Amino acid sequence: KKRILVFAGPSGEGKTTTLAKVAARSLFEEKRSVAVITTDTYRIGAAEQLRIYADIMDIPMEVVSERRGFREILDRFSDRDVILVDTPGRSRCDEERIGKLKECRPADIPVEVNLVLSMTSSVESTMDAVRGFDGIDYDSIIFTKLDDSRKFGAIYDVIDSAGKPVSYIANGQNVPRDLKKMDPAGLARLIIENRVH
């Protein structure tokens, strides 16, 4: 299936690196055609970082700053199996800017929105993000930076509060190696045994 995957979340959670890992896995392991879009025109160097990944993988990338342009780029990449969309980091408390992320979810196109959360953030900050980003109606959660954390029990509290599945965990900076697809059994082992298998 053709899929559009959006990566959203607070600043510094690892959205861009996680997107690059998913892009590499889709391209090299699943043999799917990939394109990348970034709507992050706020953070200095954000588009350049993603462009480096795109150039290495030899996949097309576009920078979009407005809703109309976003739709035009989606149409241009309609021949791609997977379109991955990077979004600017938003403060957990900035309801207006979080609301703007809805523009990355056109009503007539199926889109999967992933909320990216770092395990290095405090439980309180993570729970604030879960509540703060609820308005974008995200589909799943990706936990990052597990390699920098020693306790994974908070994952249970987050998914219990959010009521959303976990699609991936990321446990390092290596693209695409340090990314693991999650299922309920694997997630339970991670939480109970407190280690990445």
Side-chain angles (χ1 to χ4, degrees):
K1 292 181 181 178
K2 290 182 179 173
R3 299 179 69 198
I4 301 168
L5 280 71
V6 175
F7 296 79
S11 299
E13 303 290 286
K15 292 183 294 300
T16 304
T17 303
T18 301
L19 182 151
K21 292 174 184 178
V22 173
R25 176 168 289 186
S26 300
L27 184 67
F28 300 120
E29 294 179 17
E30 299 170 7
K31 307 300 182 191
R32 303 173 83 188
S33 58
V34 179
V36 177
I37 299 172
T38 182
T39 63
D40 190 353
T41 56
Y42 302 93
R43 185 168 55 96
I44 295 172
E48 288 75 16
Q49 179 186 1
L50 194 56
R51 190 169 302 283
I52 290 168
Y53 284 127
D55 288 347
I56 291 169
M57 291 183 267
D58 194 26
I59 57 176
M61 180 205 147
E62 291 285 348
V63 180
V64 179
S65 59
E66 58 185 54
R67 185 174 187 170
R68 187 183 61 213
F70 182 69
R71 185 55 188 261
E72 289 169 2
I73 297 302
L74 287 181
D75 291 343
R76 189 182 309 161
F77 289 153
S78 62
D79 63 325
R80 298 285 161 162
D81 298 323
V82 181
I83 302 172
L84 306 175
V85 183
D86 197 16
T87 63
R90 299 298 190 203
S91 165
R92 301 161 175 86
C93 306
D94 192 342
E95 292 178 14
E96 182 181 337
R97 287 195 173 172
I98 289 173
K100 282 187 143 270
L101 291 174
K102 289 182 180 178
E103 295 175 3
C104 292
R105 192 169 202 152
D108 59 332
I109 301 175
V111 174
E112 178 185 309
V113 179
N114 297 277
L115 179 62
V116 181
L117 300 171
S118 169
M119 288 303 298
T120 59
S121 298
S122 69
V123 175
E124 183 180 61
S125 293
T126 302
M127 296 301 277
D128 281 348
V130 166
R131 289 186 290 270
F133 283 84
D134 194 48
I136 64 169
D137 192 26
Y138 55 90
D139 300 287
S140 63
I141 298 170
I142 298 174
F143 287 103
T144 63
K145 305 184 182 181
L146 272 76
D147 53 314
D148 289 332
S149 179
R150 295 175 188 263
K151 304 273 184 193
F152 304 139
I155 291 174
Y156 176 82
D157 296 327
V158 172
I159 59 176
D160 184 52
S161 174
K164 305 284 184 175
V166 176
S167 53
Y168 292 100
I169 59 166
N171 62 327
Q173 293 294 312
N174 291 320
V175 177
R177 278 201 324 263
D178 296 334
L179 184 73
K180 185 171 185 178
K181 199 157 186 61
M182 276 286 102
D183 59 30
L187 196 60
R189 281 195 301 274
L190 172 70
I191 294 168
I192 292 168
E193 297 177 11
N194 211 47
R195 63 189 177 92
V196 180
H197 297 84

